[in-house]
Amino acid sequence: MTKFGSMVPELLRNLNTKPVTILYPFEKVPTPEGFRGTPRLKPGECIGCRSCVRDCPAEAIEIEVEKVEAPAAAEGQEAPKPQKRIKVILYLDRCVHCARCVEVCPKNALYMDLEYEVANFTRDALRLVQE
Amino acid sequence: MEYLKIALYILVFPGFLFQSVFSTFLEWLDRKIYARMQNRRGPLYTGWNGLMQPVADIVKLMAKEDIVPAQADRFIFSLMPLVSLAAACTAGLYLPVWHLTRYNSFEGDLIVVAYLLAIPSFCLFLAGWFSVSPFSLIGATRVLTQVFAYEVPFFLALLTPAVLSGSWRIAEIAAFPWTSGAWWAIPLQLLAFAVALLSLQAKLERVPFDIPEAETEVVGGPLTEYSGKKLALFRLQKDILMLVGSALIAALFLGGFGGGLFLGALQLVLKTILVVALLSLVKAACARIRLDQIVTFSWRYLAPLSLIQFFIVLLVKGTGVI
């Protein structure tokens, strides 16, 4: 058994120190290095290979590839190739923030940002469409 | 005019209004000091630094549904919060502040206050007993067991300043250092002061003497079945009991509240705050002890200590210094 009243000096010292409580919605805890927030797409880098879709453990990524008709070729020039329009749809309600998609992306088109306050009222608001 | 004065005395200062306002402030202070000692912040959002939090708690409880268990004795169940609140408030009327009349100061009022301060504990016991719930019953028996442990040291501790000043009148005991100039009487009674402080802590059922409402074992103890307005009254009673008990200790052991209305009221506030801060320190420094440990502690340490103090005072009195 510790001595009776042995905690008193520490208690009195505590009166003069800063509280450890962080007033969360007003003060934020700084995110540590390598923090895995929300996956984001660098615009125009995705080639639509679907590696991330295959590897995602939570099945939270969908990729839609649309073919865009090339404009008509100008006189005497080669016709431009038909372009692809790639839509990456991320379901934040299913995402487990494991950053596996970032690791497997061959073009490094995905990265994790520091956003962690993703709670919302509707499921639709958690459907992130990035192009 | 006389009746108006009495009405003011009972309703405003130091009656119900002052008691309820100041006691909620004391509860805030207690929670704040307790939190700061544990490196927390304490109440924060209601009013300046959470100052209105105890009031908000009571108002919220007032608005909640009030349920009386089907098996409970309806009359006593409803009566007990009122009786205990009334007893605590009435005890507060005998504090030696402002003008003293024959209604609020007479020879022997110390005994009256000590008995009035004992009533809330018995009300708590009856409230738990007539709730007819296992948790309430266990809590109620614990309350009663604890009463027999701390009440005797408390009375013995209150006896010491009475013997020293040779009066049973709180006002005279409080005025004793002022009239006789014997300010050394305050350090002389340090032992009795400590015993009274710990007994008051037990009376208020705060840590380490909170076994009757040990929430991990018996939910809310005697108050398990209480809700709504009745629980709010019990909370207010506990706050007022803390105020009156602390102010009584301040009056008896810390030199009272002499020096006119304003200086007296200021001293009342400051000295009561000091006692409450000490109570918070005890609360923060200890963990809950078992019922048998409370009884052993009271009878093995508190009661002999107060007796030793009593004999010291008798010796001093016998030498004829005073």
Side-chain angles (χ1 to χ4, degrees), chain B residues 90-105:
Chain B
T90 313
L93 293 180
Y94 292 94
L95 293 174
V97 287
W98 198 18
H99 76 299
L100 296 163
T101 64
R102 63 197 164 86
Y103 302 111
N104 58 46
S105 178

Side-chain angles (χ1 to χ4, degrees), chain B residues 84-156:
Chain B
S84 60
L85 181 63
C89 285
T90 313
L93 293 180
Y94 292 94
L95 293 174
V97 287
W98 198 18
H99 76 299
L100 296 163
T101 64
R102 63 197 164 86
Y103 302 111
N104 58 46
S105 178
F106 49 86
E107 194 65 35
D109 56 359
L110 177 63
I111 312 281
V112 173
V113 170
Y115 273 88
L116 281 173
L117 286 182
I119 288 179
S121 307
F122 287 100
C123 286
L124 211 54
F125 161 71
L126 285 176
W129 190 261
F130 284 100
S131 303
V132 199
S133 125
F135 297 126
S136 306
L137 289 180
I138 295 171
T141 47
R142 285 181 178 186
V143 170
L144 208 58
T145 318
Q146 197 174 308
V147 165
F148 291 114
Y150 65 75
E151 212 58 75
V152 171
F154 189 63
F155 276 36
L156 279 174

Side-chain angles (χ1 to χ4, degrees), chain A residues 11 14-15 17 19-21 23, chain B residues 36-37 39-41 44 284-285:
Chain A
L11 291 170
N14 283 350
L15 281 176
T17 55
V20 290
T21 318
L23 305 174
Chain B
R36 291 298 293 112
M37 282 179 180
N39 268 328
R40 297 184 288 116
R41 280 177 195 265
L44 208 58

Side-chain angles (χ1 to χ4, degrees), chain B residues 278-299:
Chain B
L278 287 175
L279 289 178
S280 310
L281 181 65
V282 174
K283 186 174 159 188
C286 299
R288 182 189 304 140
I289 54 179
R290 285 195 317 266
L291 190 58
D292 59 309
Q293 287 171 329
I294 293 178
V295 177
T296 317
F297 177 70
S298 303
W299 286 105

Side-chain angles (χ1 to χ4, degrees), chain A residues 11-62:
Chain A
L11 291 170
L12 294 178
R13 258 201 316 280
N14 283 350
L15 281 176
N16 215 7
T17 55
K18 206 171 158 284
V20 290
T21 318
I22 288 165
L23 305 174
Y24 164 61
F26 308 112
E27 288 171 20
K28 297 218 161 82
V29 190
T31 47
E33 205 180 319
F35 183 79
R36 305 194 301 263
T38 311
R40 295 270 170 193
L41 187 71
K42 291 179 197 156
E45 304 254 322
C46 180
I47 54 170
C49 71
R50 289 174 216 263
S51 297
C52 49
V53 177
R54 271 194 303 278
D55 263 25
C56 181
E59 300 184 359
I61 306 177
E62 272 176 21

